[in-house]
Amino acid sequence: PTRRSSDLIRRIGAVAELFVAAGLVVLTAFVSPYRRDRDAVRKRVTAAGQAGDFIEVFVDTPLEICEERDPKGLYGKARSGQLQGMTGIDDPYEAPERPELVLAGGDRRPDELADKVIGYLQRIGTIRS
């Protein structure tokens, strides 16, 4: 894994751990390309709270759609060689093996995906209706 990506995920996990230990519900959204990093954060957050405190949500969006939606043109820069280390282009992405929730990012609007996350959290008792 690239050190920069792994460091970022580690820092996000450390902050989330503090909030979970304080009894708060924490939602984070970021590209986490390596299973090893996600597994380390899961272990850390679960240790701070209780089993089930870490819920992995995989927004499964095809790379082509990510490129179409790219407002900064980063994918184009990566494909032309101007940008190095772009997840899915010249850096790998390891899809989760057993996420608690999978969202079809290419098929639904963001508000529909948010509703699915809220519905899931309600079903498992994390939040009330």
Side-chain angles (χ1 to χ4, degrees), residues 13-24:
V15 172
E17 173 190 8
L18 294 173
F19 284 101
V20 168
L24 300 172

Side-chain angles (χ1 to χ4, degrees), residues 28-40:
T28 62
F30 49 88
V31 176
S32 180
Y34 302 104
R35 282 187 204 108
R36 183 185 89 185
D37 294 338
R38 294 189 302 267
D39 290 345

Side-chain angles (χ1 to χ4, degrees), residues 61-77:
T61 307
L63 184 58
E64 303 77 42
I65 292 175
C66 292
E67 290 186 68
E68 288 172 15
R69 294 177 178 172
D70 179 16
K72 296 180 182 178
L74 299 177
Y75 285 99
K77 289 178 182 177

Side-chain angles (χ1 to χ4, degrees), residues 3 16 25 36 82 116:
R3 182 170 177 87
V25 174
R36 183 185 89 185
Q82 298 173 32
K116 288 186 176 287

Side-chain angles (χ1 to χ4, degrees), residues 2 6 8 12 19 24-25 29 39-40 52 73-74 81 100 107 110 122 127:
T2 62
S6 293
L8 175 65
I12 292 167
F19 284 101
L24 300 172
V25 174
D39 290 345
L74 299 177
E100 284 76 10
D107 296 338
Q122 289 171 335
I127 59 176

